[in-house]
Amino acid sequence: MSATARKTAPMPTDILARKGGAPLVSLTAYTTPMAQVMDGICDFVLVGNSVGMVLHGLPSTLEVTMEMMILHGQAVRRGLTQSMLVIDMPFGSYEQSPAQAFENAARLMRETGAGAVKLEGGEVMEDTIAFLTKRGIPVMAHIGLTPQSIHTLGGYKVQGRGAAATQLMADAQAVTRAGAFAVVLEKVPQALADQITETVAIPTIGIGASAQCDGQILVVDDMLGLFTAFKAKFVKRYAHLGDDAKAAVQAYADEVTARSFPGPEHVFSDEVSKT
């Protein structure tokens, strides 16, 4: 069933059941108005830790806090009725131990109403994912380019080329064994993304991977042309709202300077209307 025909939000089990079926549609959102725009169009909406770079002007996702994720998660939750809410676990909130991960994941879900959490890492996170899923925390995994690990990965590079493909396949199989209901593949060679998609029993969500993945996700500010600091190769601009907004602000400034705004229709007379 398509997202546009749905009456209520799907659950993680519904996302899992879409493996090999109609492609899953997803975008990030950080605010209520944006969530309202994509509600019912997207199968799930991700409150990504990309919020730090996109809305807060931070240099990476590493500075994002639990409080930031909760604040934006609550805002997005208010805008959704037909799309599932997934929320990123920020750097430092789950890596120390499975117990730490559970405490913070439970807090994120409790305070935002999210249907699932997303965390980065493959084999190294297998025990943590299993610990969470066995205790009622649905987990979406994220492998390939994991932005929280850019310093150890050497930057925002394609992952899984050459001999590294074996490890990435092992990562995908590990998160599947652990009970993740889906896995994001970021900046992975197309052939490897196709192989992983064919091999694992859970949906793959591509971002810079392959059209043959079980679904796709983009940062909404990237695809709308609102975030213009840089543009990754895998981003397609479906609009140029940043340019439109700048033109609108300039038009407003011009009218204020010329004293043509506010016009007669925007101001109030001294007369009391008679009704």
Side-chain angles (χ1 to χ4, degrees), residues 27-30 34 38 218-227:
L27 289 167
T28 64
Y30 318 113
M34 194 65 78
M38 59 185 71
L218 283 175
V219 172
V220 69
D221 294 71
D222 283 339
M223 58 88 72
L224 290 178
L226 287 168
F227 181 76

Side-chain angles (χ1 to χ4, degrees), residues 98-102 126-137 178:
Q100 179 210 28
F102 179 82
E126 182 174 359
D127 290 345
T128 295
I129 294 172
F131 188 90
L132 295 179
T133 57
K134 288 175 182 177
R135 288 160 178 78
I137 304 288

Side-chain angles (χ1 to χ4, degrees), residues 6-220:
R6 192 189 305 109
K7 298 294 185 181
T8 59
M11 299 179 69
T13 51
D14 298 316
I15 300 298
L16 177 60
R18 291 275 291 276
K19 175 68 181 179
L24 292 155
V25 178
S26 177
L27 289 167
T28 64
Y30 318 113
T31 65
T32 303
M34 194 65 78
Q36 291 171 329
V37 168
M38 59 185 71
D39 187 35
I41 299 174
C42 292
D43 295 290
F44 68 91
V45 173
L46 172 69
V47 181
N49 55 25
S50 51
V51 66
M53 302 173 72
V54 174
L55 290 192
H56 293 272
L58 297 174
S60 74
T61 64
L62 299 180
E63 294 87 347
V64 173
T65 65
M66 283 284 291
E67 287 67 32
M68 290 168 65
M69 297 308 300
I70 290 169
L71 176 67
H72 290 282
Q74 290 170 340
V76 171
R77 172 73 275 167
R78 297 183 193 108
L80 297 180
T81 60
Q82 299 178 65
S83 301
M84 185 177 75
L85 173 63
V86 181
I87 188 164
D88 262 339
M89 297 193 69
F91 178 69
S93 69
Y94 61 94
E95 296 91 341
Q96 183 177 0
S97 68
Q100 179 210 28
F102 179 82
E103 180 180 354
N104 286 317
R107 181 186 174 196
L108 283 174
M109 292 185 68
R110 181 173 61 249
E111 296 189 28
T112 68
V117 299
K118 182 171 76 64
L119 56 81
E120 299 180 8
E123 279 189 321
V124 69
M125 284 291 120
E126 182 174 359
D127 290 345
T128 295
I129 294 172
F131 188 90
L132 295 179
T133 57
K134 288 175 182 177
R135 288 160 178 78
I137 304 288
V139 176
M140 178 176 290
H142 183 158
I143 64 174
L145 174 62
T146 47
Q148 293 174 5
S149 303
I150 56 168
H151 293 311
T152 56
L153 295 176
Y156 295 95
K157 299 178 180 179
V158 175
Q159 301 296 308
R161 282 177 170 158
T166 301
Q167 181 59 59
L168 204 56
M169 176 61 78
D171 287 337
Q173 293 171 330
V175 301
T176 302
R177 282 194 305 270
F181 69 90
V183 57
V184 173
L185 306 180
E186 181 168 356
K187 220 165 183 181
V188 173
Q190 180 177 338
L192 178 58
D194 291 344
Q195 185 181 2
I196 291 173
T197 299
E198 293 172 1
T199 301
V200 300
I202 61 176
T204 57
I205 310 298
I207 176 167
S210 170
Q212 299 310 309
C213 288
D214 296 296
Q216 301 293 328
I217 188 168
L218 283 175
V219 172
V220 69

